[in-house]
Amino acid sequence: MTQYWEPSPQGRRITQSPAWRLQLGASQITLEVDGHLHRAPLRATSIAFKRGLFWTGLTLFADDATVQVDGLPNAQLGPLQAALAQRLAPDAADHPVQVMRDALVRIGDWLDEADAALAQADHQHRWFTTEHQHALLQRRPVLALDDDALWAVFDDPDLRSRLPGEASRIEDDLSRWCSDWPAFWAARNAAHVQREGAAAASLLDSVEQRPLTGEQRQAVLCFDSRVLVVAAAGSGKTATMVAKAAYAVDRGLVAAEQIVMLAFNKEAASELQQRADQAFQRLGLDGDGVQARTFHALGRQIIGQATGRFPNVPDWAVDAGQGVERLADLVDQLKDRSHAFRTQWDLFRLVFGRDLVTQGSAPVADGWEADGRGYVHSLNGERVQDIEACLVADWLFYNGVGYRYERGDHFDPGTDRHVAGAASFHYAGTALRHEHRSGGQDTTTRDRTDTLHTDSAALRSGALFDLLGQALGRHGVLLDPNPDRALPESGARPMPDAELIGLVRTFISHAKSNGLDVEDMAQRLRAMPEDQFKHRHRLFLALAAPILQAWDDALAAEHAIDFEDMLNQAAELLESGRYASPYQLVMADEFQDASRARARLCRALVQAPGRHLFAVGDDWQSINRFAGADVSVMTGFVDWFGHGQVLKLEQTFRCPQALCDVSSRFISRNPAQIGKQVRSQTPAQGPALQAFQVASRDQLRDAVGQYLQQLQRQLLSGERTPGRSGKLSVFVLGRYNADRAFVPPDWQARFGQQLEVRFLTAHRAKGAEADVVILPAMLERSFPNTRADDPVLALAMPHADTWPLGEERRLFYVAVTRARRTVAMFSVRGRRSAFLTELVQDGAVQVTALDGKAIHEQPCPACDGGVIVQRSGAYGSFQSCSGYPRCQYKPRQPAGPVTR
């Protein structure tokens, strides 16, 4: 009977293998590849297997050629090998003793090989790596009999009588053969850590200024092929990296010149090098060859040494800020050269700057009516009922179409609810009526003579705008697109040019990092679900294509390449064997901010057998997506680099436990983040988390000044103790540079003798710490920035973070965990940040006035942060939302007494 074996569809796609089918016949093996047949005699040497992480590759040594295919699921490898073995020994059932003897010979050979490999690791004081384990398991012979059958044959009294004097040895071999080898090797490695910990105790105690913790020692001593260390904020990851390098040199595992520590910028590389040099000097070790390099420097070196020409990578193609400036110039040039491009650019910016919410999600609103209905501001100044109606209105305004809008939703006093309805548009001088129903309620699009009905599906696909344009044309209304049409004073502010330029720069970084061209991204767009706003993605890609070409042309004009292309070229030289990595131990710092191009380079550096990758980072602190970072590289570490060890540094030397608990609970809302239980040995000094509220935004700077004065008084009274420098260090962390305005300009004169006050943005503060952190503007639409996570990036990021405001959530976590003692947050009545509201609802903090008195407020039921306040007017006292005029909600007044 002929048996067939084929790759899985996913295996073919991922491994990029052609279609194939393997047949095991009576006397030959046949491999059909894309319709062409290759044949080989039925021998064990005719075919070889290479087991990967998920799929197995096959090599057939056929009569006409050596043919390689891939994509066979690993689960099918065993049955295929068993079937092959059965074909090679068809009469096995008739010769149990011979089969047993043959099996025992093969088992013994493999056991000898496993013992020898482990003995060598023991002799060299080395970790028995996952790479060695997998290699052994792949060479484990496939027997004609499975484990149960082997024991059944062995237990046969007749067989035992024919194997005199060998039963004890055979039983021992069979027991070992059937053992749980990964568990056995794991136990051996655990014992290895204990031995090495004792042998290297002096080094581990003195490599840094204080002895390493148990977690840090485990990370240093674990010398598996691939190790990811998930390090909590303030857990000493730099100390662990330096200690790892020192341990490797001291124990003779790796020569100093074979170690490279990769950092993300020159400052970080300089700090790593300095710390390493100090540690090696302290230990009396020769560490001259240990290098701390930036990815930029290493990639450039690889290309230069492999090709004889060092690539030119301009500063504007590396630095995010300079890149945005250069991109702005290129966009201006495209606008000047092409009226069509300028029209596309402004159409996107004016009309399609905001994405639609996913169907079923809570609607967005710019404000709320007095009856609690939300509204969105259009360019023309109307308050329309939702973002879909706003898109229609803005498209009409952009195209110069006169219209009258009517809300379709209404408040039903009987049910005390808002009832959805179709928005209506009436067009001046025509009998055309257009009704649009949002939210996917009506899946039918109808275009009749005087009435046009559209729905969410038509809007998301873009068909709505074609239908509307055609209907208007039939009624004599010509479209007049004009991006310079004056906006009414009450009109919505469109997406700023600078914001769109920044989005395009981020998009280019990720597209380049992932090696995606425009056609690749167009394919991703076509594969997107229909409930996505595909029309917006399509418009953005049409914009990005000429900008990407202009970017490449600008590089070519300088005979240069950009950072992402350089990393990918360096990786390709390593992957193809045109450059051999001189490094045995590659250590990558801040791995949560790795781009896919950086990850590819790391993988290529350690692709040869016997190499080690040691990556350290904290996915909770991945905040540089704008610069190409892709957190999925860290959260999907095993998929990228194969199996190894995932360790955690959960003890922090910075934040008190109360702050660790609050921040960990906050960041862990995102299920894609790697779980940690952060523990602190830092004693509490004062309140861990405080929140203060003032009446208006213009009071924030004075409030920060009063808080600084309060800190000063507490220092002078002894209620607080100075920090490490003899003063209390204070970071004022803003979401934006403009938040610097909340720092009192005279702080030095007033508080300088007791306080060190420094302003940083939250992004710039990563890696730094202070005794007290002040977040001066925890305001809605400020922190978090609700426009930070644009869905169009999914076109260039295969595994984009889909958790709402995921990047902003991580940025807030970074800001909070800069504090050694206290975090103080400031907000404005009725404008409270959604993040602060979440902390309040969790019971993590209570918002108070500056004097510490609790603030008790009634939240506005209509909007997303306002509170009910008492006001007075021409007709007496009344209640309304503090968010007026954005929210005009007024509670219904109770009916007064009836008089007769």
Side-chain angles (χ1 to χ4, degrees), residues 232 620 650 657-670 673-679 809 813 816-817 839:
W620 292 4
E650 297 178 311
Q657 188 64 51
L659 201 54
C660 292
D661 293 342
V662 169
S663 57
S664 297
R665 186 164 59 247
F666 175 85
I667 195 65
S668 298
R669 291 280 197 277
N670 184 346
Q673 306 284 174
I674 300 173
K676 290 194 295 292
Q677 296 293 326
V678 184
R679 308 179 313 277
R809 186 171 285 269
Y813 174 82
V816 168
T817 54
L839 293 176

Side-chain angles (χ1 to χ4, degrees), residues 431-686:
L432 179 61
R433 177 184 176 87
H434 173 201
E435 292 189 355
H436 178 77
R437 186 174 295 278
S438 302
Q441 300 286 339
D442 181 1
T443 58
T444 304
T445 299
R446 302 187 297 277
D447 180 6
R448 297 174 178 168
T449 304
D450 293 325
T451 305
L452 176 66
H453 294 270
T454 58
D455 59 17
S456 288
L459 179 61
R460 291 172 187 271
S461 70
L464 180 150
F465 304 104
D466 293 333
L467 290 168
L468 182 53
Q470 294 165 8
L472 289 168
R474 288 196 300 271
H475 286 78
V477 179
L478 299 179
L479 303 183
D480 178 26
N482 180 6
D484 298 322
R485 187 170 285 110
L487 295 175
E489 193 66 30
S490 60
R493 300 301 98 184
M495 184 184 211
D497 274 290
E499 186 175 323
L500 183 51
I501 289 168
L503 176 60
V504 173
R505 178 66 190 103
T506 300
F507 186 83
I508 289 175
S509 291
H510 287 285
K512 291 269 192 162
S513 184
N514 287 298
L516 299 173
D517 59 24
V518 173
E519 178 53 35
D520 293 329
M521 292 183 283
Q523 289 182 6
R524 292 179 61 81
L525 173 59
R526 289 191 286 270
M528 275 186 162
E530 293 304 319
D531 62 351
Q532 300 290 312
F533 194 3
K534 295 181 75 167
H535 183 60
R536 182 174 185 266
H537 286 68
R538 193 178 301 113
L539 291 173
F540 181 83
L541 189 58
L543 267 184
I547 300 174
L548 186 56
Q549 184 61 56
W551 178 270
D552 285 339
D553 290 345
L555 289 168
E558 298 186 25
H559 304 288
I561 58 176
D562 62 17
F563 181 64
E564 290 80 12
D565 283 341
M566 179 186 68
L567 294 183
N568 281 324
Q569 285 185 25
E572 197 278 329
L573 289 168
L574 286 158
E575 291 163 351
S576 64
R578 285 179 285 169
Y579 181 83
S581 169
Y583 304 113
Q584 294 291 324
L585 174 58
V586 175
M587 309 173 78
D589 192 15
E590 301 287 0
F591 203 66
Q592 75 278 353
D593 287 329
S595 64
R596 295 174 77 86
R598 285 185 171 101
R600 181 185 175 190
L601 180 58
C602 286
R603 184 172 60 191
L605 284 167
V606 297
Q607 67 182 354
R611 307 299 173 95
H612 301 268
L613 174 65
F614 184 77
V616 184
D618 183 5
D619 62 305
W620 292 4
Q621 298 185 71
S622 179
I623 59 172
N624 288 320
R625 187 168 65 181
F626 68 92
D630 187 342
V631 70
S632 72
V633 167
M634 183 169 178
T635 57
F637 182 83
V638 171
D639 294 335
W640 266 93
F641 301 101
H643 287 282
Q645 304 293 319
V646 177
L647 308 177
K648 296 179 182 180
L649 301 182
E650 297 178 311
Q651 179 177 323
T652 180
F653 300 98
R654 183 184 301 156
C655 305
Q657 188 64 51
L659 201 54
C660 292
D661 293 342
V662 169
S663 57
S664 297
R665 186 164 59 247
F666 175 85
I667 195 65
S668 298
R669 291 280 197 277
N670 184 346
Q673 306 284 174
I674 300 173
K676 290 194 295 292
Q677 296 293 326
V678 184
R679 308 179 313 277
S680 175
Q681 301 297 322
T682 304
Q685 296 190 54

